[in-house]
Amino acid sequence: MNGEEEFFDAVTGFDSDNSSGEFSEANQRLTGVIHVDTSKSNGIGKVGDGPPQENGIQKHRTSLPAPMFTRSDFSVWSILKKCIGLELSKITMPIAFNEPLSFLQRITEYMEHVYLIHRASRQPQSLERMQSVAAFAVSAVASQWERTGKPFNPLLGETYELIREDLGFRFISEQVSHHPPISAFYSEGLHQDFLFHGSIYPKLKFWGKSVEAEPRGTITLELLKHKEAYTWTNPTCCVHNVIIGKLWIEQYGTVEILNHRTGDKCVLHFKPCGLFGKELHKVEGYIQDKR
């Protein structure tokens, strides 16, 4: 267990070594805990137990149950000034940098625009399928553009599972390595139309005023109807102004998507913001066939 997780346990009162999975007494004494009266839940009842809505879809939450506090009250320079050029996965970071999500939960956001996969599966032409797959690859990292919080590191062997019948997929992720931290995921369409899987090993480095996350690991999408497999790697993500100023994120680098059956290739250039920020969040690319 690293220092970050020990600090999290001390704050929440949760004993991660307790195999029964119960909260300690310290957690029960926490102030500001919200108690929900499920008897007055507008007919939905207990969480996960309620009847479907009129359209047959279960109601899902649209926001986290706790608001985010400001990070401006924390001085992190005393910690980070000794870490320039080092890999941040081996450094204990202040809990103020974290958002109330595990990294395994964060990965499920790749499926936010899963309709693009369904669209690709329906396209008759390979280049049209590549267009939809490329759009999905870009959309998978779109939610990071305004997310300056760091998700919590999962414990080794921890898993997270999500089933969305309304969107037509099931998803499971697992922490398969602790040092270095590696997360693996696997998703499949409920109608046996696609498989989506891969591993993620973000190598973090601190460069004085910014934190850079270099992606490692290959992402694979299989369209079963067409017997096609597409592979790519996510672009580099950089968080600026971690010491002073307003945090902002840019993503840059080249993403190459390859269709291994046809040889078609899509090259996407995530452009750096430049001196005046005119290129921030801009993506340019092209598709070419094997010929």
Side-chain angles (χ1 to χ4, degrees), residues 8-34:
F8 176 64
D9 293 346
V11 172
T12 60
F14 180 75
D15 182 6
S16 58
D17 294 328
N18 185 353
S19 60
S20 65
E22 296 178 353
F23 285 93
S24 64
E25 293 180 1
N27 185 53
Q28 299 174 5
R29 294 195 297 268
L30 287 175
T31 58
V33 176
I34 301 175

PDB file of all heavy atoms in Angstrom, residues 8-34:
ATOM      1  N   PHE A   8      -5.542   8.221   2.422  1.00  0.00           N
ATOM      2  CA  PHE A   8      -6.967   8.129   2.117  1.00  0.00           C
ATOM      3  C   PHE A   8      -7.691   7.297   3.172  1.00  0.00           C
ATOM      4  O   PHE A   8      -8.773   7.641   3.605  1.00  0.00           O
ATOM      5  CB  PHE A   8      -7.152   7.513   0.732  1.00  0.00           C
ATOM      6  CG  PHE A   8      -8.587   7.286   0.363  1.00  0.00           C
ATOM      7  CD1 PHE A   8      -9.446   8.352   0.231  1.00  0.00           C
ATOM      8  CD2 PHE A   8      -9.078   5.998   0.161  1.00  0.00           C
ATOM      9  CE1 PHE A   8     -10.763   8.151  -0.119  1.00  0.00           C
ATOM     10  CE2 PHE A   8     -10.392   5.802  -0.170  1.00  0.00           C
ATOM     11  CZ  PHE A   8     -11.236   6.877  -0.309  1.00  0.00           C
ATOM     12  N   ASP A   9      -7.064   6.193   3.608  1.00  0.00           N
ATOM     13  CA  ASP A   9      -7.679   5.365   4.646  1.00  0.00           C
ATOM     14  C   ASP A   9      -7.820   6.129   5.950  1.00  0.00           C
ATOM     15  O   ASP A   9      -8.807   5.997   6.668  1.00  0.00           O
ATOM     16  CB  ASP A   9      -6.839   4.108   4.886  1.00  0.00           C
ATOM     17  CG  ASP A   9      -6.858   3.177   3.681  1.00  0.00           C
ATOM     18  OD1 ASP A   9      -7.729   3.400   2.826  1.00  0.00           O
ATOM     19  OD2 ASP A   9      -6.017   2.275   3.618  1.00  0.00           O
ATOM     20  N   ALA A  10      -6.799   6.968   6.271  1.00  0.00           N
ATOM     21  CA  ALA A  10      -6.860   7.721   7.508  1.00  0.00           C
ATOM     22  C   ALA A  10      -7.964   8.764   7.484  1.00  0.00           C
ATOM     23  O   ALA A  10      -8.616   9.051   8.479  1.00  0.00           O
ATOM     24  CB  ALA A  10      -5.502   8.399   7.765  1.00  0.00           C
ATOM     25  N   VAL A  11      -8.182   9.364   6.297  1.00  0.00           N
ATOM     26  CA  VAL A  11      -9.214  10.394   6.178  1.00  0.00           C
ATOM     27  C   VAL A  11     -10.612   9.793   6.226  1.00  0.00           C
ATOM     28  O   VAL A  11     -11.513  10.292   6.889  1.00  0.00           O
ATOM     29  CB  VAL A  11      -9.002  11.193   4.876  1.00  0.00           C
ATOM     30  CG1 VAL A  11     -10.173  12.126   4.638  1.00  0.00           C
ATOM     31  CG2 VAL A  11      -7.704  11.991   4.971  1.00  0.00           C
ATOM     32  N   THR A  12     -10.809   8.694   5.500  1.00  0.00           N
ATOM     33  CA  THR A  12     -12.145   8.118   5.400  1.00  0.00           C
ATOM     34  C   THR A  12     -12.473   7.156   6.520  1.00  0.00           C
ATOM     35  O   THR A  12     -13.642   6.829   6.749  1.00  0.00           O
ATOM     36  CB  THR A  12     -12.303   7.361   4.072  1.00  0.00           C
ATOM     37  OG1 THR A  12     -11.328   6.313   4.019  1.00  0.00           O
ATOM     38  CG2 THR A  12     -12.072   8.297   2.894  1.00  0.00           C
ATOM     39  N   GLY A  13     -11.440   6.640   7.203  1.00  0.00           N
ATOM     40  CA  GLY A  13     -11.682   5.657   8.236  1.00  0.00           C
ATOM     41  C   GLY A  13     -11.944   4.276   7.685  1.00  0.00           C
ATOM     42  O   GLY A  13     -12.485   3.426   8.378  1.00  0.00           O
ATOM     43  N   PHE A  14     -11.557   4.028   6.448  1.00  0.00           N
ATOM     44  CA  PHE A  14     -11.799   2.729   5.829  1.00  0.00           C
ATOM     45  C   PHE A  14     -10.552   1.886   5.928  1.00  0.00           C
ATOM     46  O   PHE A  14      -9.464   2.335   5.577  1.00  0.00           O
ATOM     47  CB  PHE A  14     -12.197   2.915   4.364  1.00  0.00           C
ATOM     48  CG  PHE A  14     -12.471   1.627   3.658  1.00  0.00           C
ATOM     49  CD1 PHE A  14     -13.651   0.925   3.885  1.00  0.00           C
ATOM     50  CD2 PHE A  14     -11.542   1.097   2.777  1.00  0.00           C
ATOM     51  CE1 PHE A  14     -13.894  -0.257   3.231  1.00  0.00           C
ATOM     52  CE2 PHE A  14     -11.785  -0.078   2.115  1.00  0.00           C
ATOM     53  CZ  PHE A  14     -12.953  -0.755   2.353  1.00  0.00           C
ATOM     54  N   ASP A  15     -10.685   0.698   6.416  1.00  0.00           N
ATOM     55  CA  ASP A  15      -9.565  -0.220   6.558  1.00  0.00           C
ATOM     56  C   ASP A  15      -9.516  -1.108   5.332  1.00  0.00           C
ATOM     57  O   ASP A  15     -10.306  -2.037   5.191  1.00  0.00           O
ATOM     58  CB  ASP A  15      -9.734  -1.055   7.831  1.00  0.00           C
ATOM     59  CG  ASP A  15      -8.555  -1.998   8.058  1.00  0.00           C
ATOM     60  OD1 ASP A  15      -7.582  -1.908   7.287  1.00  0.00           O
ATOM     61  OD2 ASP A  15      -8.630  -2.798   9.000  1.00  0.00           O
ATOM     62  N   SER A  16      -8.568  -0.794   4.405  1.00  0.00           N
ATOM     63  CA  SER A  16      -8.505  -1.559   3.157  1.00  0.00           C
ATOM     64  C   SER A  16      -8.010  -2.973   3.369  1.00  0.00           C
ATOM     65  O   SER A  16      -8.125  -3.807   2.486  1.00  0.00           O
ATOM     66  CB  SER A  16      -7.582  -0.843   2.159  1.00  0.00           C
ATOM     67  OG  SER A  16      -6.294  -0.687   2.714  1.00  0.00           O
ATOM     68  N   ASP A  17      -7.433  -3.280   4.559  1.00  0.00           N
ATOM     69  CA  ASP A  17      -6.966  -4.633   4.820  1.00  0.00           C
ATOM     70  C   ASP A  17      -8.027  -5.493   5.480  1.00  0.00           C
ATOM     71  O   ASP A  17      -7.821  -6.672   5.738  1.00  0.00           O
ATOM     72  CB  ASP A  17      -5.733  -4.589   5.740  1.00  0.00           C
ATOM     73  CG  ASP A  17      -4.554  -3.942   5.033  1.00  0.00           C
ATOM     74  OD1 ASP A  17      -4.464  -4.086   3.807  1.00  0.00           O
ATOM     75  OD2 ASP A  17      -3.753  -3.291   5.714  1.00  0.00           O
ATOM     76  N   ASN A  18      -9.192  -4.907   5.792  1.00  0.00           N
ATOM     77  CA  ASN A  18     -10.274  -5.650   6.431  1.00  0.00           C
ATOM     78  C   ASN A  18     -11.005  -6.456   5.372  1.00  0.00           C
ATOM     79  O   ASN A  18     -11.667  -5.914   4.497  1.00  0.00           O
ATOM     80  CB  ASN A  18     -11.237  -4.659   7.118  1.00  0.00           C
ATOM     81  CG  ASN A  18     -12.316  -5.376   7.914  1.00  0.00           C
ATOM     82  OD1 ASN A  18     -12.427  -6.600   7.847  1.00  0.00           O
ATOM     83  ND2 ASN A  18     -13.088  -4.618   8.656  1.00  0.00           N
ATOM     84  N   SER A  19     -10.851  -7.774   5.421  1.00  0.00           N
ATOM     85  CA  SER A  19     -11.404  -8.619   4.366  1.00  0.00           C
ATOM     86  C   SER A  19     -12.913  -8.649   4.371  1.00  0.00           C
ATOM     87  O   SER A  19     -13.540  -9.040   3.406  1.00  0.00           O
ATOM     88  CB  SER A  19     -10.865 -10.053   4.521  1.00  0.00           C
ATOM     89  OG  SER A  19     -11.245 -10.581   5.780  1.00  0.00           O
ATOM     90  N   SER A  20     -13.547  -8.222   5.471  1.00  0.00           N
ATOM     91  CA  SER A  20     -15.006  -8.240   5.509  1.00  0.00           C
ATOM     92  C   SER A  20     -15.611  -7.102   4.728  1.00  0.00           C
ATOM     93  O   SER A  20     -16.787  -7.101   4.430  1.00  0.00           O
ATOM     94  CB  SER A  20     -15.488  -8.174   6.972  1.00  0.00           C
ATOM     95  OG  SER A  20     -15.115  -6.929   7.548  1.00  0.00           O
ATOM     96  N   GLY A  21     -14.773  -6.079   4.396  1.00  0.00           N
ATOM     97  CA  GLY A  21     -15.275  -4.971   3.572  1.00  0.00           C
ATOM     98  C   GLY A  21     -16.127  -4.001   4.355  1.00  0.00           C
ATOM     99  O   GLY A  21     -16.809  -3.176   3.784  1.00  0.00           O
ATOM    100  N   GLU A  22     -16.135  -4.047   5.700  1.00  0.00           N
ATOM    101  CA  GLU A  22     -16.955  -3.157   6.487  1.00  0.00           C
ATOM    102  C   GLU A  22     -16.164  -1.905   6.850  1.00  0.00           C
ATOM    103  O   GLU A  22     -14.939  -1.919   6.980  1.00  0.00           O
ATOM    104  CB  GLU A  22     -17.432  -3.861   7.751  1.00  0.00           C
ATOM    105  CG  GLU A  22     -18.339  -5.051   7.494  1.00  0.00           C
ATOM    106  CD  GLU A  22     -18.754  -5.741   8.777  1.00  0.00           C
ATOM    107  OE1 GLU A  22     -18.226  -5.359   9.833  1.00  0.00           O
ATOM    108  OE2 GLU A  22     -19.596  -6.630   8.704  1.00  0.00           O
ATOM    109  N   PHE A  23     -16.892  -0.803   7.089  1.00  0.00           N
ATOM    110  CA  PHE A  23     -16.261   0.431   7.492  1.00  0.00           C
ATOM    111  C   PHE A  23     -15.949   0.371   8.982  1.00  0.00           C
ATOM    112  O   PHE A  23     -16.656  -0.247   9.766  1.00  0.00           O
ATOM    113  CB  PHE A  23     -17.179   1.637   7.208  1.00  0.00           C
ATOM    114  CG  PHE A  23     -17.235   1.977   5.760  1.00  0.00           C
ATOM    115  CD1 PHE A  23     -18.230   1.445   4.948  1.00  0.00           C
ATOM    116  CD2 PHE A  23     -16.286   2.808   5.200  1.00  0.00           C
ATOM    117  CE1 PHE A  23     -18.278   1.749   3.616  1.00  0.00           C
ATOM    118  CE2 PHE A  23     -16.334   3.116   3.854  1.00  0.00           C
ATOM    119  CZ  PHE A  23     -17.325   2.599   3.078  1.00  0.00           C
ATOM    120  N   SER A  24     -14.856   1.042   9.374  1.00  0.00           N
ATOM    121  CA  SER A  24     -14.498   1.093  10.780  1.00  0.00           C
ATOM    122  C   SER A  24     -15.360   2.097  11.513  1.00  0.00           C
ATOM    123  O   SER A  24     -16.105   2.873  10.929  1.00  0.00           O
ATOM    124  CB  SER A  24     -13.025   1.487  10.918  1.00  0.00           C
ATOM    125  OG  SER A  24     -12.819   2.800  10.424  1.00  0.00           O
ATOM    126  N   GLU A  25     -15.216   2.123  12.864  1.00  0.00           N
ATOM    127  CA  GLU A  25     -16.013   3.037  13.668  1.00  0.00           C
ATOM    128  C   GLU A  25     -15.648   4.485  13.380  1.00  0.00           C
ATOM    129  O   GLU A  25     -16.481   5.378  13.508  1.00  0.00           O
ATOM    130  CB  GLU A  25     -15.796   2.738  15.147  1.00  0.00           C
ATOM    131  CG  GLU A  25     -16.332   1.388  15.585  1.00  0.00           C
ATOM    132  CD  GLU A  25     -16.084   1.137  17.053  1.00  0.00           C
ATOM    133  OE1 GLU A  25     -15.512   2.015  17.702  1.00  0.00           O
ATOM    134  OE2 GLU A  25     -16.491   0.072  17.513  1.00  0.00           O
ATOM    135  N   ALA A  26     -14.398   4.710  12.960  1.00  0.00           N
ATOM    136  CA  ALA A  26     -13.999   6.080  12.658  1.00  0.00           C
ATOM    137  C   ALA A  26     -14.813   6.645  11.512  1.00  0.00           C
ATOM    138  O   ALA A  26     -15.159   7.818  11.493  1.00  0.00           O
ATOM    139  CB  ALA A  26     -12.503   6.127  12.311  1.00  0.00           C
ATOM    140  N   ASN A  27     -15.139   5.803  10.562  1.00  0.00           N
ATOM    141  CA  ASN A  27     -15.923   6.261   9.431  1.00  0.00           C
ATOM    142  C   ASN A  27     -17.340   6.614   9.852  1.00  0.00           C
ATOM    143  O   ASN A  27     -17.968   7.518   9.303  1.00  0.00           O
ATOM    144  CB  ASN A  27     -15.943   5.179   8.350  1.00  0.00           C
ATOM    145  CG  ASN A  27     -16.636   5.650   7.094  1.00  0.00           C
ATOM    146  OD1 ASN A  27     -16.278   6.695   6.566  1.00  0.00           O
ATOM    147  ND2 ASN A  27     -17.603   4.885   6.636  1.00  0.00           N
ATOM    148  N   GLN A  28     -17.887   5.898  10.835  1.00  0.00           N
ATOM    149  CA  GLN A  28     -19.240   6.163  11.282  1.00  0.00           C
ATOM    150  C   GLN A  28     -19.343   7.488  12.021  1.00  0.00           C
ATOM    151  O   GLN A  28     -20.417   8.047  12.165  1.00  0.00           O
ATOM    152  CB  GLN A  28     -19.711   5.018  12.171  1.00  0.00           C
ATOM    153  CG  GLN A  28     -19.748   3.680  11.457  1.00  0.00           C
ATOM    154  CD  GLN A  28     -20.085   2.539  12.388  1.00  0.00           C
ATOM    155  OE1 GLN A  28     -20.387   2.777  13.559  1.00  0.00           O
ATOM    156  NE2 GLN A  28     -20.012   1.329  11.881  1.00  0.00           N
ATOM    157  N   ARG A  29     -18.188   7.994  12.504  1.00  0.00           N
ATOM    158  CA  ARG A  29     -18.212   9.253  13.242  1.00  0.00           C
ATOM    159  C   ARG A  29     -17.925  10.448  12.348  1.00  0.00           C
ATOM    160  O   ARG A  29     -17.799  11.559  12.818  1.00  0.00           O
ATOM    161  CB  ARG A  29     -17.166   9.200  14.359  1.00  0.00           C
ATOM    162  CG  ARG A  29     -17.467   8.167  15.434  1.00  0.00           C
ATOM    163  CD  ARG A  29     -16.611   8.416  16.655  1.00  0.00           C
ATOM    164  NE  ARG A  29     -15.197   8.263  16.351  1.00  0.00           N
ATOM    165  CZ  ARG A  29     -14.537   7.115  16.489  1.00  0.00           C
ATOM    166  NH1 ARG A  29     -15.178   6.022  16.894  1.00  0.00           N
ATOM    167  NH2 ARG A  29     -13.258   7.044  16.223  1.00  0.00           N
ATOM    168  N   LEU A  30     -17.757  10.223  11.037  1.00  0.00           N
ATOM    169  CA  LEU A  30     -17.482  11.332  10.140  1.00  0.00           C
ATOM    170  C   LEU A  30     -18.650  12.304  10.120  1.00  0.00           C
ATOM    171  O   LEU A  30     -19.813  11.919  10.090  1.00  0.00           O
ATOM    172  CB  LEU A  30     -17.226  10.826   8.717  1.00  0.00           C
ATOM    173  CG  LEU A  30     -15.889  10.117   8.478  1.00  0.00           C
ATOM    174  CD1 LEU A  30     -15.859   9.584   7.063  1.00  0.00           C
ATOM    175  CD2 LEU A  30     -14.731  11.061   8.714  1.00  0.00           C
ATOM    176  N   THR A  31     -18.317  13.594  10.099  1.00  0.00           N
ATOM    177  CA  THR A  31     -19.356  14.608  10.019  1.00  0.00           C
ATOM    178  C   THR A  31     -19.686  14.884   8.573  1.00  0.00           C
ATOM    179  O   THR A  31     -18.870  14.676   7.668  1.00  0.00           O
ATOM    180  CB  THR A  31     -18.874  15.911  10.683  1.00  0.00           C
ATOM    181  OG1 THR A  31     -17.681  16.339  10.020  1.00  0.00           O
ATOM    182  CG2 THR A  31     -18.585  15.687  12.166  1.00  0.00           C
ATOM    183  N   GLY A  32     -20.852  15.414   8.333  1.00  0.00           N
ATOM    184  CA  GLY A  32     -21.269  15.773   6.991  1.00  0.00           C
ATOM    185  C   GLY A  32     -21.734  14.607   6.149  1.00  0.00           C
ATOM    186  O   GLY A  32     -21.864  14.728   4.948  1.00  0.00           O
ATOM    187  N   VAL A  33     -21.986  13.459   6.755  1.00  0.00           N
ATOM    188  CA  VAL A  33     -22.471  12.313   6.000  1.00  0.00           C
ATOM    189  C   VAL A  33     -23.938  12.520   5.658  1.00  0.00           C
ATOM    190  O   VAL A  33     -24.737  12.918   6.498  1.00  0.00           O
ATOM    191  CB  VAL A  33     -22.291  11.002   6.812  1.00  0.00           C
ATOM    192  CG1 VAL A  33     -22.887   9.832   6.060  1.00  0.00           C
ATOM    193  CG2 VAL A  33     -20.811  10.767   7.085  1.00  0.00           C
ATOM    194  N   ILE A  34     -24.301  12.272   4.422  1.00  0.00           N
ATOM    195  CA  ILE A  34     -25.671  12.470   3.962  1.00  0.00           C
ATOM    196  C   ILE A  34     -26.443  11.177   4.115  1.00  0.00           C
ATOM    197  O   ILE A  34     -26.036  10.141   3.610  1.00  0.00           O
ATOM    198  CB  ILE A  34     -25.696  12.937   2.496  1.00  0.00           C
ATOM    199  CG1 ILE A  34     -24.924  14.253   2.364  1.00  0.00           C
ATOM    200  CG2 ILE A  34     -27.121  13.101   2.003  1.00  0.00           C
ATOM    201  CD1 ILE A  34     -24.801  14.720   0.932  1.00  0.00           C
TER     202      ILE A  34
END
